[in-house]
Structures are given as C-alpha cells and as structure tokens.
C-alpha cells in the first residue's frame, strides 16, 4: 500500500513561480489560474509516477504558528505573497474537493507538521512531494521524499542512501544541520559563521548538536569560539527546524 502526501503550499508556490513569467494565465474575468494549472499537472504527474492507494494534501492555514511563540522573528523578512497567487489559494482547495482528495490545515500548525504526523501514523510505504528540504528529516525505512528541485519537472527521489550520497547526512541529522548552518528562508539563524561544509563535517565527527557540545574541548580556534558564543541559537534553531510528528489528525 502506498500513501502520497503533498506539501500543498510548497507545491503551489513552486507552481506559481514556475509559470508567472510573460502573460500569466487568467480567466476572462481576471482570475489568475497559472498556479492551479501547474499544481494540477504536478499532482497528476505524481499520481502517475507513484501510483498511490491513498493521497492527502497539507496546507498552511495562517502566518502565526507555535514556532512564532518560541521565536517571534521566525520567517521574518519573507516577501509578501503576490496577490495573483493569493486569489488562487481558495481555488486550489476547491480543486482538491473536485479530485476527492482530502486536505488538512490547522491553526498554529504548519503543513510540515501535518505531513510529519501522517507519515508516522500509518504503517505503509509513504511518499512525500515537496520542494522543502526540511522534509528530508522524515525519511525512514518506509518514507521517501520526492524533492522538486527545479521548476516543475525535475523531481528527485530521496531515501536514506540518496540523502547520504548527496548531503553526507542521515535523516535525523537534518535538524542538527539546521541548528548549525541555519536556514535563511525561515530566518533560522543557526551558528553565525558556520556554513554547509563545516556543519556536515561536525556532524560526521560528532553525530548531533548535543554530541558536538559534549566534545567542545576537542574543537579548536575560531570555530570553538563561534559554537560557544551561539550555543543557545544552535539549539533554538534545531528546535525550530524539528517537524512535529504527533499532531492529532
């Protein structure tokens, strides 16, 4: 049995920006439809590729989430959503109803957390479609992530082997990586001055953020200074990057 989980906001935003050049598609009444059209194409492609027995879509409901209670500046600095896309939000939900595909959205909970909870809830092969690399932490023996890399056509299936080959990390280390390197798109700060390569090397040496700080005396020079200075930021960033898997759905 296969379960396809779709990160609705991630796919919809990718669909919009992949088709927003030139004369953007719209109806004779001025309703923009480019994102919905591209979303439908991506959905059909995923269903054909994966051949799921079950399918569900998760959406973000509002801008404020429980993560903003932890860090008020979480996702601060993001551009305003284009009005041409905003008017398509409700329409894509109508389209899900027309497809007879269930979708879920909850106050204060992000789509990531809905997907994480559904992925761990059912004991079946689970495929997640998203352009959000945060989802890689959910990979396990029965869960893989289909990452949309470029536009709407380039999709890479990421399992434990592929993740190790491409990123040099294990699934559970994704949140530690974010704790160290941060994530500018979500305004997750990490440890200032620690980049991708340094973060991966530290995790290959010490496994987790906790392991790094347990062996902080072994780390020398400026890197040690940076880690000590931003220890609180490191663990806050790791917490912000951790997807909930216990939402009651």
């Amino acid at each position: 049995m296969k379960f396809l989980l779709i990160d609705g906001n991630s796919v919809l935003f990718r669909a919009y920006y992949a088709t927003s050049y030139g004369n953007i598609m719209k109806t004779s009444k001025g309703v923009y439809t480019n994102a919905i059209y591209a979303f439908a194409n991506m959905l059909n492609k995923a269903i054909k590729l994966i051949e799921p027995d079950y399918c569900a879509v998760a959406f973000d409901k509002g801008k404020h989430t429980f993560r903003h209670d932890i860090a008020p500046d979480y996702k601060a600095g993001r551009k305003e959503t284009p009005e041409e896309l905003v008017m398509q939000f409700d329409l894509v939900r109508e389209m899900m109803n027309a497809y007879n595909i269930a979708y879920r959205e909850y106050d204060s909970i992000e789509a990531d957390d809905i997907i994480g909870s559904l992925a761990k809830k059912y004991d079946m092969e689970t495929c997640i479609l998203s352009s959000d690399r945060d989802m890689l932490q959910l990979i396990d023996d029965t869960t893989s992530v289909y990452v949309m890399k470029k536009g709407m056509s380039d999709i890479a299936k990421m399992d434990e082997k592929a993740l190790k080959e491409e990123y040099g990390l294990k699934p559970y280390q994704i949140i530690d990586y974010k704790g160290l390197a941060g994530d500018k798109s979500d305004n997750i700060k990490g440890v200032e001055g620690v980049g991708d390569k340094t973060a991966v090397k530290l995790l290959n040496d010490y496994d987790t953020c906790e392991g790094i700080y347990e062996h902080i005396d072994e780390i020398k020079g400026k890197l040690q200074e940076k880690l000590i200075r931003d220890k609180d930021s490191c663990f806050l960033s790791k917490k912000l990057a951790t997807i909930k898997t216990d939402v009651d759905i």
Side-chain angles (χ1 to χ4, degrees), residues 43-52:
L43 175 63
N44 292 336
K45 181 177 180 178
I47 290 172
K48 184 176 181 180
L49 175 68
I50 295 167
E51 297 183 330

Side-chain angles (χ1 to χ4, degrees), residues 12-13 15-17 19-27 30-36 80-92:
L12 189 62
F13 271 80
Y16 173 78
Y17 285 108
T19 57
S20 61
Y21 50 86
N23 294 320
I24 304 179
M25 291 176 62
K26 59 183 176 180
T27 69
V31 178
Y32 288 88
T33 57
N34 66 307
I36 300 168
E80 285 294 315
T81 304
E83 188 58 38
E84 295 87 349
L85 175 55
V86 171
M87 67 172 62
Q88 299 182 66
F89 285 170
D90 289 339
L91 292 173
V92 79

Side-chain angles (χ1 to χ4, degrees), residues 169-181:
L169 297 171
K170 299 170 184 175
Y172 67 83
Q173 292 177 314
I174 293 295
I175 56 175
D176 297 281
Y177 170 82
K178 293 290 179 80
L180 294 165

Side-chain angles (χ1 to χ4, degrees), residues 176-182 189-191 194 199 202-203 209 212 227 234:
D176 297 281
Y177 170 82
K178 293 290 179 80
L180 294 165
K189 294 178 174 59
V191 176
V194 172
L202 284 167
L203 293 173
C209 292
I212 291 167
L227 289 166
C234 176

